[in-house]
């Protein structure tokens, strides 16, 4: 059995995995997994309502807004399609360094629009939407932008899952994050459970997913689910505070900040040997570059 296992490890598709990781525009699922993207898109188009809005600031911060306030920013089918479109736009935004995702009108998102959920009622439909959203949020997570979810009001169900695709999460004093999937007779389907375990560990994730642990801002901060609690509850002021909070991570040239994010993403998804090789490759994109040469010329690389 030992020899068989060794042989299996030697022929495991690590090389394929390495090629796929961080290549902009590649997804988890394709036709070999029974996923037919165009068919799923046609189904999702049947459920309009709301929008996903993207604003790209001159300071290198993108602001992605879930905009369907009459339904607590629930994701319609069209919004799911628009989220993919905005992710693709961000993949091609080479000047970008940071990203804030938030909901309109002082609340984050209540998850999926129930109209779409009811109409897409078969296991096949559920798995197809699952693969579509996992594809989109994995591409979102791999963006070379340092991302933060700004949670005002409630992030429920799929809304809670979206927050886990970000590098950081911020809450306001009155906000809450709830994985309500169990109450709907399902489990997270947009990759939220997998990412939640990565963020807070398996024991805490079970508490949160079972509903035993209700995540108000203080509890979320205590278990490491969120990184800070913002003092303001005003929508405009809160966004300003989130931008200021994000600034501490994105000072410097875009190519350096983006390389840092790529390097950290590699560590999360690859084994040690592969992650080290990936780090080497990313280093080659910035070593000897303008920012590096300027810093060396100043001879003050460790001074503030």
């Amino acid at each position: 059995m030992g020899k068989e296992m060794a042989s299996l490890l030697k022929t495991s598709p690590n090389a394929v995995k390495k090629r796929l990781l961080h290549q902009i525009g590649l997804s988890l699922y394709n036709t070999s997994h029974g996923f037919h993207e165009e068919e799923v898109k046609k189904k999702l188009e049947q459920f309009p309502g709301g929008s996903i809005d993207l604003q790209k600031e001159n300071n290198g911060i993108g602001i992605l807004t879930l905009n369907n306030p009459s339904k607590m920013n629930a994701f319609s089918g069209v919004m799911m399609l628009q989220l993919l479109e905005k992710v693709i736009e961000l993949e091609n935004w080479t000047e970008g360094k940071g990203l804030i995702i938030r909901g309109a009108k002082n609340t984050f998102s209540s998850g999926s629009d129930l109209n779409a959920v009811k109409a897409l009622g078969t296991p096949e439909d559920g798995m197809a939407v699952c693969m579509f959203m996992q594809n989109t949020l994995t591409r979102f997570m791999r963006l070379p932008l340092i991302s933060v979810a700004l949670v005002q009001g409630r992030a429920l169900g799929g809304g809670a899952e979206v927050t886990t695709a970000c590098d950081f999460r911020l809450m306001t004093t009155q906000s809450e994050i709830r994985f309500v999937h169990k109450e709907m007779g399902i489990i997270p389907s947009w990759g939220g459970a997998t990412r939640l375990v990565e963020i807070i560990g398996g024991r805490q994730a079970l508490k949160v997913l079972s509903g035993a642990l209700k995540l108000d801002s203080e509890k979320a901060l205590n278990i490491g689910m969120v990184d800070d609690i913002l003092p303001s509850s005003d929508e405009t002021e809160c966004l300003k505070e989130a931008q200021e909070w994000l600034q501490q991570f994105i000072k410097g040239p875009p190519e350096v900040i983006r390389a840092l994010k790529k390097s950290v993403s590699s560590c999360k998804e690859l084994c040690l040997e592969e992650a080290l090789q990936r780090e080497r490759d990313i280093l080659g994109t910035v070593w000897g570059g303008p920012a590096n040469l300027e810093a060396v010329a100043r001879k003050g690389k460790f001074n503030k």
Side-chain angles (χ1 to χ4, degrees), residues 119-133:
L120 301 169
T122 69
E124 292 76 17
D125 285 336
M127 289 179 68
V129 175
C130 164
M131 287 189 281
F132 181 86
M133 289 301 291

Side-chain angles (χ1 to χ4, degrees), residues 160 163-164 169 177 179 196 199-200 215 220-221 223-227:
T163 71
T164 65
R169 281 149 295 280
I177 298 174
F179 290 78
L196 185 66
I199 295 165
I200 61 173
L215 289 182
L221 184 64
I223 67 168
M225 178 67 182
V226 302
D227 300 275

